[in-house]
Amino acid sequence: NIPVVSYFLLRGKCHFCKRPISNRYVLAELTTGFLSYLSFSTFGVTPTGVAVFAFCASIVVISFIDFAYY
């Protein structure tokens, strides 16, 4: 994941304003990447695999929004 690599290369700070970037963005990227690996390794690049990945990605988004706003 390019966002995760750039997060570590920039030491968790914005390139322009040098303000810290929240760890939750990295966690969301890693979680989505792991779930995409699981869904495509289990179902392959098939319509079922794409549907499972889309469901998992939407659950990640909904979960992080829920954690942020309760």
Side-chain angles (χ1 to χ4, degrees):
N1 278 339
I2 298 300
V4 175
V5 172
S6 64
Y7 177 85
F8 288 115
L9 288 176
L10 295 172
R11 295 181 181 92
K13 297 188 183 216
C14 176
H15 177 70
F16 297 106
C17 67
K18 306 298 184 213
R19 296 188 76 203
I21 299 171
S22 175
N23 293 335
R24 71 179 165 174
Y25 296 112
V26 176
L27 184 60
E29 291 287 336
L30 288 173
T31 304
T32 305
F34 179 69
L35 290 175
S36 70
Y37 169 75
L38 283 180
S39 62
F40 288 122
S41 67
T42 302
F43 298 103
V45 185
T46 61
T48 304
V50 172
V52 168
F53 170 67
F55 176 74
C56 290
S58 63
I59 292 297
V60 169
V61 170
I62 291 168
S63 297
F64 276 89
I65 290 171
D66 186 41
F67 289 143
Y69 294 103
Y70 300 107

